[in-house]
Amino acid sequence: MNDLLETARTAIGNSYAPYSEYRVGAAIETADGAVYTGCNIENANYSNSIHAEELALSKAVQDGHREFARLAVASDKRDGVTPCGMCRQSLAEFCGEDLPIYCDEGDGEVSEYTLGELLPNTITKAHLDV
């Protein structure tokens, strides 16, 4: 867990967040152990910004990965960062409800969730397999 979270923290340095100054980094590990990172890239229209988790996921999917083992998310400005609703839906397309998500709480503290815990009221992949 700590290695993946440290990789997410390193990805923060590539963020482009001139408006909010809210820099986020993410690292996702594929089922076969490959790690992809992403950082947020914002613009003046926040709804069109690219989120760190989606960028990491899309890089992995672009390389042909469809199964994932875990995700870590970190920020240097706010504590307790978790994937937003849009990122959760993107993750649900490719990841099971049991995907571990490690969230940087600052000061060395880490919260661990599963994707299913973060998606209680949305469509998950399991719901689509009916």
Side-chain angles (χ1 to χ4, degrees):
M1 166 196 51
N2 289 335
D3 59 333
L4 195 67
L5 196 53
E6 191 55 42
T7 301
R9 287 179 182 133
T10 301
I12 293 170
N14 294 322
S15 293
Y16 178 76
Y19 304 99
S20 70
E21 297 183 2
Y22 180 33
R23 292 174 289 278
V24 178
I28 192 164
E29 183 179 333
T30 66
D32 65 2
V35 174
Y36 289 82
T37 62
C39 61
N40 62 321
I41 303 169
E42 71 177 30
N43 55 52
N45 179 351
Y46 291 118
S47 66
N48 289 331
S49 294
I50 300 168
H51 300 181
E53 303 91 314
E54 289 182 310
L55 185 55
L57 177 67
S58 60
K59 286 179 181 178
V61 170
Q62 177 181 341
D63 282 353
H65 296 281
R66 298 294 186 271
E67 295 181 22
F68 299 90
R70 56 192 184 137
L71 170 74
V73 184
S75 171
D76 66 350
K77 286 285 188 182
R78 298 183 190 173
D79 296 339
V81 63
T82 59
C84 72
M86 291 186 305
C87 292
R88 294 171 193 183
Q89 280 300 137
S90 295
L91 290 163
E93 185 70 26
F94 297 97
C95 305
E97 292 183 34
D98 59 343
L99 177 77
I101 300 176
Y102 308 110
C103 301
D104 192 351
E105 294 288 346
D107 296 329
E109 298 295 318
V110 178
S111 292
E112 183 177 345
Y113 304 93
T114 64
L115 182 58
E117 290 171 328
L118 295 176
L119 283 172
N121 297 315
T122 58
I123 297 173
T124 62
K125 188 174 182 181
H127 293 113
L128 298 175
D129 292 336
V130 195

